[in-house]
Amino acid sequence: MTLTMFRAKLHRLRVTEADLYYEGSITLDEELLAASGILPYEKVQVVNVNNGARLETYTIPGAPGSRTVCLNGPAARLAARGDEVIVIAYAQMTPEEARRHRPRIVLVDEHNNPTEVREPYVVPPEALLAGA
């Protein structure tokens, strides 16, 4: 059995562009991808904080240092420039891997500059059951 676990996210990015006539995906600054551990061309979920829209797509690396967050193709209809979005990557893990897994969370400022990287401690289920 495998579990689908939250692996990494870029939290509250601001959309810088929306390109309806591009082939599709989300373009993200390579430095933001690297900070989060999300890979170019990896499948991600994008959640729009402003309007509640949720979509699945894949990442395309943008110019390093550009702080680009561009929704492309049909996804461009689900966000406007300035909207805040959360980009989430998931991974399939065995229960044993999931117990040891620590997701990576990258927080950004209003210009999409990383301000903090978190890798929260996850309490193993057996510790919870033992009352620890």
Side-chain angles (χ1 to χ4, degrees):
M1 171 178 64
T2 60
L3 306 170
T4 303
M5 302 294 293
F6 155 52
R7 188 179 74 70
K9 79 174 170 177
L10 290 159
H11 191 71
R12 298 203 119 167
L13 295 167
R14 295 207 190 243
V15 174
T16 59
E17 304 170 58
D19 186 353
L20 182 60
Y21 298 103
Y22 191 79
E23 65 191 48
S25 64
I26 185 169
T27 303
L28 295 168
D29 178 324
E30 280 184 8
E31 292 176 358
L32 293 171
L33 289 173
S36 68
I38 297 172
L39 298 175
Y41 313 108
E42 183 173 354
K43 179 181 178 178
V44 292
Q45 181 180 47
V46 181
V47 180
N48 188 321
V49 174
N50 294 80
N51 65 22
R54 299 170 88 83
L55 66 112
E56 289 182 342
T57 190
Y58 62 92
T59 63
I60 291 181
S66 66
R67 301 306 184 245
T68 298
V69 176
C70 180
L71 286 157
N72 300 303
R77 297 233 187 249
L78 300 176
R81 185 178 177 167
D83 281 0
E84 291 186 9
V85 295
I86 301 168
V87 177
I88 309 164
Y90 300 91
Q92 296 292 314
M93 299 180 195
T94 65
E96 295 74 25
E97 291 169 323
R99 285 187 187 96
R100 294 186 307 273
H101 174 65
R102 294 173 57 185
R104 177 176 280 192
I105 302 164
V106 178
L107 305 177
V108 298
D109 66 15
E110 65 276 6
H111 303 290
N112 294 333
N113 295 306
T115 58
E116 184 179 350
V117 177
R118 296 181 185 165
E119 290 183 351
Y121 175 72
V122 178
V123 177
E126 51 275 1
L128 293 172
L129 294 173

